[in-house]
Amino acid sequence: MPATSLFGALALAWRREFNVYTACDRDSAELRARHLNSVTRLTPLMVLANVGNAAIVALAFDGVPLLHRMVWLSVLLALCGIGLRAWWRRRDKAATSVSPRAARHATIGAALLGIVWGGIAVAWFPGASPPQQLLLTGLILGTMCGGAFALAPLPMAALAQLGTLSLGSSIALLRDHGPATLYLMLLLLLYVAVLAISVLATARVFTARLRSEREASRQGHLIGLLLRDFEEHSADVLWECGAGGLLTHVSPRLSAALGSSAAELQGGTLLDALASRRATNEADSHLAALRTSLNLGQAFRDLVVPVQTASNGLRWWSFSAKPLVDELGHHAGWRGVISDVTQARETHRRLAYLAHFDSLTGLANRLELREQLARAMEVSAAPDAPPLRTALMCLDVDHFKSINDTLGHAAGDAVLAEVGRRLQSCLRQADLAARLGGDEFALVITDVRSDDEVAALARRLVQVLCQPCEVAGRQVALGTSIGVAIAPDHGRTLDELMGNADLALYAAKEAGRARFEIFVPRLGDRRRRRVAIEQALRGALSRSEMHLHWQPRVDVSRWEVVGAEVLLRWQHPELGRINPDEFIGIAEDAGLIAEIGLWVLQRACAHAVQMPPHLLVSVNVSPAQLQREDFAALALRAIERSGLPPQRLELEVTESLFMDETSAQALANLHALRNVGVRIALDDFGTGYSSLAYLRRFPFDTLKIDRAFVRELMTRHDARAIVRTILELAKTLGMETIAEGVEEPAQLDVLREAGCGSIQGFMVARPMPRGDFLRLMKNWTTPGTAYMGLDLDIDSERSRDAA
């Protein structure tokens, strides 16, 4: 290693270890004061030693001229006087902070003292007699050693004195020219090196000890402040007791809580104070646990004890403590904290309740239902158990959404609470009623002896729950549908039984509501078909099983094809032709509708470009698609890639879109598309309970009259009146109108007379593949030449569409 690098490393190490002697910060100044004070306390002893040694040398070296000895002795006494004077000024009070200059002054004084002693070695040692040389050598070495250890807290002063003494001694040896001079020089250097290293090590240890003491003092002061602040402001309470268990520290808060003075409490034990204030019978077990923990002599945490306090009544206190030991390591008592956990305990109890029970109705929730139903099924399935059966009833409130939307959520909650009370009134104590969420409820009926017993209870429930109830001063009609599954007949696992009960509930709804159905195996076939359709849907597009059909839209006044509605068709190789009414809902529930809907939109736009430029193309859009944030961007990309003018595309949406809480995103997508020219149509208008409200939420371009009104045009006067009203409303709002499901010329005449703009239906043509639709357009002249009632074979349709 180069010499410069070695010196640089040594200098860096010196600054790192001994920066305290030169730094100007407050901590270093205080540490320097401690160092200087430790040296100053030894000043009288060091002065006495130096004066005595000087007197001995002056008397022993009688061959030296008296003047020389007196001059040397005067200089040494002067230096000692300066040091003694400084000590005298500081004898009553120790310095708390000193500057680096004070350390430098001490270093200079030590160096001068070393020069005085080293000087006589240089001047007197060569010409002295052997006894005198031996005396002087002993004194010099003793001064080196004593000065090094006395000045060790100030290593620069110790090294300065040691350096001057060793330098003077070396010069004296070199001047003596004795036969052992070289060896004495080596011994001297070794001795000086050992002393120097010892000085540095002692200084480092001393500084580290002072820093540790300072940090411990600072932490002790901080802890004291924190404890005092803790006692004054914290909700927790400090306590301390001795080895005998007697309280030795009673805070004002503990005294106030227990209703006794600190003097009274300190005369007894903590356990006695708590025992005299037992809040409940169970307090004895908690006190026993606390007593056991104290007797074990080990730290403990969070031992809860109920206490009857003087100010707040019954409270739950949590005790945490650690044992104290004396200087000999013997047990000296306990110090701990009392925390009031009453509110936390109540919150925990409330959370535990909410984890298993519904807060609105007080019934069990889904988790509690599953746990109790699982236990009941385990008991009935045990090998040595009696033949017990358990019934699960799933039910919901018919048309509850209408109640919620028309009367408000508060009224809906009141209805649910009333349903919960009625369910409880019909059950035995061993049975369980639960609310699964929303308006869904479930009942667990144990110890079922016959199906007739279950049917009788279900019949009674329907009768009780179908009675109207009064909410906010209004009579609200109620109804319920119930699905029943019985274990183990209808399921040997929890999920199987719940699934079959749900199937029975769906069957009750489809059968007309306000009734009950008991599960039968054929309902399972419907469920299996749904699963099969969902699985088949996941690969239908990639297997090219889906294709588009086109149904013409005809202008009534001109009798021209002005547009077409694109309809999706699915032909599965095993399941056969699957109706869109069946698979669209499954696709929405499975999260596949976005992919399928985008494919339909892309294909419809791509095919529409190849058709006559006046033709308007209508595509149905699911609410689930419109609620996606990226729908508008994807639709615009499909339009741009196809080259279709946006004005030729019409998106049809249903009223159900506006009944969802996420309709804001759907409306944003519709506005974004309408702003670029895409037309928006409201499908099945008139079937919703608040259809008129939807017309205010969005400016539709087209209203499509539901086929249910068209079907009854010739049989019901109210249907004609509704259709005329819709057409007048659309005309007033500047919207176009389309009537769906027109099948008879008589229906067409009524619609034309009422002012309907366009129609579509089997009277014009059935939905057909694109090839057939293009031929229809080509051959279209009069109503007589239209393909009325066209019903093509599906295989030929698929082959023509592919072509």
Side-chain angles (χ1 to χ4, degrees):
M1 178 183 293
T4 55
S5 299
L6 177 61
F7 288 133
L10 291 175
L12 180 62
W14 175 270
R15 286 195 299 271
R16 183 173 61 250
E17 295 293 341
F18 302 103
N19 185 53
V20 66
Y21 300 103
T22 57
C24 296
D25 58 281
R26 180 178 177 181
D27 288 346
S28 298
E30 293 179 357
L31 288 175
R32 277 194 301 271
R34 298 284 299 276
H35 285 285
L36 190 61
N37 290 335
S38 65
V39 173
T40 304
R41 282 193 295 269
L42 299 177
T43 298
L45 182 61
M46 294 173 62
V47 168
L48 181 61
N50 276 276
V51 171
N53 291 337
I56 293 174
V57 170
L59 292 174
F61 279 79
D62 52 0
V64 177
L66 179 61
L67 179 62
H68 292 177
R69 284 182 285 164
M70 295 305 295
V71 170
W72 172 79
L73 187 59
S74 299
V75 172
L76 189 139
L77 290 175
L79 291 176
C80 289
I82 294 172
L84 195 61
R85 179 172 175 271
W87 168 79
W88 182 262
R89 292 171 59 186
R90 298 190 183 122
R91 71 188 187 284
D92 294 331
K93 59 177 183 178
T96 58
S97 176
V98 297
S99 66
R101 185 175 61 178
R104 289 196 295 271
H105 287 171
T107 302
I108 294 173
L112 291 176
L113 193 61
I115 291 172
V116 170
W117 282 106
I120 63 168
V122 173
W124 299 347
F125 184 83
S129 64
Q132 290 175 331
Q133 288 182 339
L134 181 61
L135 173 64
L136 188 57
T137 300
L139 287 174
I140 295 294
L141 292 179
T143 302
M144 283 184 179
C145 183
F149 284 100
L151 296 173
L154 295 174
M156 292 183 293
L159 294 177
Q161 188 179 80
L162 189 62
T164 53
L165 285 172
S166 61
L167 178 62
S169 301
S170 300
I171 295 174
L173 290 173
L174 291 174
R175 289 186 62 200
D176 186 55
H177 302 292
T181 299
L182 179 60
Y183 301 107
L184 290 175
M185 285 283 294
L186 292 176
L187 288 175
L188 177 63
L189 293 176
L190 181 61
Y191 185 64
V192 170
V194 171
L195 286 177
I197 294 173
S198 299
V199 165
L200 296 177
T202 302
R204 185 186 300 112
V205 171
F206 190 72
T207 302
R209 181 172 64 82
L210 290 180
R211 281 177 171 157
S212 298
E213 291 177 357
R214 177 183 175 82
E215 184 63 26
S217 176
R218 183 183 301 170
Q219 290 183 358
H221 181 66
L222 178 61
I223 290 173
L225 291 176
L226 291 175
L227 288 176
R228 187 159 51 252
D229 183 72
F230 180 86
E231 286 191 321
E232 292 176 356
H233 301 96
S234 175
D236 295 339
V237 178
L238 292 175
W239 61 275
E240 186 174 332
C241 62
L246 297 178
L247 286 166
T248 57
H249 174 78
V250 179
S251 66
R253 185 174 286 107
L254 178 59
S255 175
L258 294 178
S260 299
S261 66
E264 293 174 346
L265 292 174
Q266 287 180 351
T269 67
L270 175 66
L271 291 173
D272 292 339
L274 297 175
S276 63
R277 295 163 178 82
R278 286 195 302 272
T280 60
N281 292 332
E282 63 176 321
D284 292 336
S285 61
H286 293 281
L287 285 172
L290 179 59
R291 181 180 292 105
T292 301
S293 298
L294 291 173
N295 292 336
L296 289 175
Q298 298 177 354
F300 58 87
R301 292 181 59 84
D302 302 329
L303 284 180
V304 180
V305 177
V307 179
Q308 190 69 34
T309 63
S311 55
N312 297 318
L314 173 62
R315 310 300 292 178
W316 289 85
W317 284 359
S318 174
F319 288 80
S320 299
K322 66 177 183 178
L324 302 177
V325 294
D326 57 18
E327 294 81 359
L328 300 178
H330 299 150
H331 179 69
W334 292 88
R335 178 183 294 133
V337 176
I338 301 173
S339 302
D340 191 328
V341 295
T342 307
Q343 184 176 358
R345 187 180 179 88
E346 179 61 24
T347 301
H348 183 270
R349 187 194 65 79
R350 179 64 177 168
L351 290 176
Y353 174 82
L354 293 177
H356 294 271
F357 292 91
D358 176 56
S359 59
L360 176 63
T361 62
L363 304 180
N365 61 10
R366 184 183 295 272
L367 175 63
E368 182 71 10
L369 173 87
R370 290 180 66 90
E371 290 179 355
Q372 293 211 24
L373 183 58
R375 283 197 294 268
M377 295 181 69
E378 288 176 2
V379 171
S380 61
D384 55 347
L388 299 177
R389 300 166 75 207
T390 301
L392 174 65
M393 295 185 176
C394 290
L395 58 106
D396 60 19
V397 180
D398 294 336
H399 306 297
F400 178 73
K401 183 170 179 58
S402 298
I403 298 174
N404 230 5
D405 292 341
T406 55
L407 300 181
H409 290 286
D413 290 345
V415 168
L416 295 177
E418 176 62 21
V419 170
R421 285 191 291 269
R422 294 184 183 185
L423 289 176
Q424 288 280 51
S425 67
C426 297
L427 299 182
R428 303 168 301 180
Q429 187 173 1
D431 300 330
L432 176 71
R435 181 187 174 206
L436 305 183
D439 64 323
E440 300 178 14
F441 295 84
L443 308 176
V444 177
I445 313 301
T446 58
D447 194 16
V448 174
R449 304 185 184 280
S450 67
D451 292 357
D452 293 339
E453 177 185 350
V454 175
L457 176 59
R459 195 175 295 110
R460 182 187 175 196
L461 288 170
V462 171
Q463 181 181 3
V464 170
L465 294 177
C466 286
Q467 298 297 321
C469 71
E470 184 174 339
V471 175
R474 301 180 58 178
Q475 287 288 325
V476 178
L478 291 182
T480 187
S481 303
I482 302 177
V484 182
I486 303 175
D489 305 357
H490 303 150
R492 295 186 176 274
T493 66
L494 180 64
D495 291 331
E496 183 182 5
L497 187 68
M498 296 186 72
N500 289 338
D502 282 336
L503 290 175
L505 174 60
Y506 297 147
K509 290 182 177 181
E510 292 177 356
R513 300 179 184 269
R515 54 180 293 126
F516 73 91
E517 291 286 345
I518 298 179
F519 176 80
V520 292
R522 63 179 175 79
L523 299 179
D525 297 337
R526 182 184 307 173
R527 181 181 182 184
R528 285 188 288 272
R529 175 172 172 80
R530 178 183 176 89
V531 173
I533 290 176
E534 180 179 340
Q535 293 176 345
L537 268 174
R538 298 188 182 277
L541 291 178
S542 61
R543 295 190 299 268
S544 301
E545 295 173 0
M546 290 187 173
H547 52 283
L548 302 182
H549 276 198
W550 301 68
Q551 186 172 29
R553 178 195 302 181
V554 176
D555 182 274
V556 173
S557 60
R558 294 178 288 141
W559 200 251
E560 293 181 359
V561 178
V562 294
E565 181 178 2
V566 178
L567 302 170
L568 182 62
R569 296 293 182 261
W570 181 20
Q571 179 74 20
H572 190 270
E574 297 177 0
L575 300 175
R577 180 183 295 183
I578 305 175
N579 194 305
D581 292 340
E582 184 178 12
F583 73 77
I584 290 297
I586 298 176
E588 289 178 340
D589 293 340
L592 301 173
I593 193 64
E595 178 187 1
I596 295 174
L598 181 61
W599 179 86
V600 171
L601 185 61
Q602 291 172 340
R603 293 291 296 271
C605 292
H607 290 170
V609 173
Q610 305 170 9
M611 295 183 179
H614 70 280
L615 200 68
L616 184 68
V617 179
S618 298
V619 178
N620 290 282
V621 181
S622 165
Q625 288 179 263
L626 281 168
Q627 289 161 5
R628 293 172 57 97
E629 294 182 359
D630 60 349
F631 173 75
L634 293 174
L636 291 174
R637 189 180 306 165
I639 295 171
E640 292 174 358
R641 289 183 176 178
S642 66
L644 180 72
Q647 296 77 12
R648 288 186 56 196
L649 177 64
E650 184 175 71
L651 300 182
E652 297 186 11
V653 300
T654 61
E655 297 178 355
S656 62
L657 170 71
F658 301 94
M659 299 172 67
D660 194 279
E661 295 180 355
T662 56
S663 60
Q665 179 62 53
L667 286 173
N669 285 327
L670 291 178
H671 280 292
L673 292 170
R674 194 171 187 272
N675 290 338
V676 299
V678 177
R679 297 173 59 85
I680 309 297
L682 180 59
D683 199 7
D684 301 334
F685 181 76
T687 59
Y689 71 91
S690 59
S691 300
L692 295 178
Y694 304 143
L695 300 182
R696 300 181 61 187
R697 299 187 64 183
F698 189 84
F700 292 97
D701 299 288
T702 305
L703 292 184
K704 298 192 71 173
I705 302 173
D706 187 74
R707 65 183 67 247
F709 298 119
V710 176
R711 188 184 307 117
E712 297 177 346
L713 278 176
M714 309 310 299
T715 59
R716 298 186 58 172
H717 294 290
D718 57 350
R720 294 189 185 185
I722 291 174
V723 169
R724 289 194 184 98
T725 302
I726 293 174
L727 293 174
E728 287 294 332
L729 176 65
K731 181 179 179 181
T732 302
L733 297 176
M735 300 179 184
E736 297 185 7
T737 53
I738 304 172
E740 297 182 292
V742 179
E743 299 180 359
E744 303 174 7
Q747 296 171 340
L748 174 62
D749 293 338
V750 174
L751 292 169
R752 181 186 289 115
E753 181 183 353
C756 183
S758 303
I759 65 167
Q760 65 184 68
F762 288 175
M763 176 186 161
V764 177
R766 293 175 180 270
M768 62 189 70
R770 180 166 56 102
D772 291 325
F773 177 72
L774 292 175
R775 281 191 293 274
L776 172 68
M777 291 285 297
K778 182 178 180 181
N779 298 325
W780 185 272
T781 54
T782 64
T785 61
Y787 294 170
M788 296 183 185
L790 185 63
D791 188 8
L792 303 177
D793 181 73
I794 188 65
D795 292 329
S796 63
E797 292 175 6
R798 291 183 62 195
S799 61
R800 291 171 183 171
D801 188 56

